[in-house]
Amino acid sequence: MTRLPLFGQTGKMTWRMLASVLGGQALIILLGALLARGHAIADGADNAQTLLWAGCGLAVLAFVAAGLLRGPLGLPLGWLVQLLTWLSAFVVPAMIGVGLVFTGLWVLCLVKGQEVDAMMAARARDAETAR
């Protein structure tokens, strides 16, 4: 298995794949924020708006991380989004499923993206030496 980087820049295919994961995850997090707000209102809690804004903030962080994946800040922010998604399961237990699916996709795309980037680099080197 390839090493899972926690920081640094990623290759072209890797950041494309990871950005897709974070974009989809952000949309699901927004739905989770609405669910948390609805449950809080139904329970008569006073923190309904706070839960909504916290979920929206996490979704915006996911979108920002997706946009920053070309640079060195995107990967750590992506891992932070994964961690915060898991922590949001304390508020909305259904986020455990979201965490399982999207953290699994995150790791898969990170590993496979690195493999594809390595193959593309090898192909470019072969084409350069063939000249």
Side-chain angles (χ1 to χ4, degrees):
M1 184 171 139
T2 2
R3 182 182 71 86
L4 286 177
L6 299 176
F7 54 87
Q9 284 190 293
T10 58
K12 186 176 185 178
M13 186 56 78
T14 304
W15 72 256
R16 285 179 178 177
M17 294 169 70
L18 293 177
S20 298
V21 170
L22 286 174
Q25 187 172 0
L27 295 174
I28 301 301
I29 289 170
L30 281 172
L31 294 174
L34 290 171
L35 180 66
R37 178 180 175 263
H39 277 286
I41 289 172
D43 292 340
D46 294 334
N47 63 346
Q49 290 301 107
T50 304
L51 293 174
L52 177 66
W53 286 110
C56 288
L58 179 55
V60 167
L61 179 64
F63 281 128
V64 167
L68 292 175
L69 274 169
R70 289 183 184 185
L73 286 177
L75 203 53
L77 284 178
W79 281 111
L80 179 63
V81 168
Q82 301 310 315
L83 175 68
L84 292 176
T85 300
W86 279 97
L87 290 177
S88 69
F90 287 112
V91 178
V92 179
M95 294 302 279
I96 292 172
V98 174
L100 282 171
V101 168
F102 283 101
T103 302
L105 284 171
W106 175 263
V107 170
L108 178 71
C109 288
L110 194 54
V111 170
K112 292 299 179 183
Q114 287 177 330
E115 291 176 9
V116 170
D117 286 332
M119 284 190 291
M120 290 173 63
R123 182 179 291 174
R125 277 192 308 273
D126 291 344
E128 193 65 33
T129 57
R131 289 183 186 185

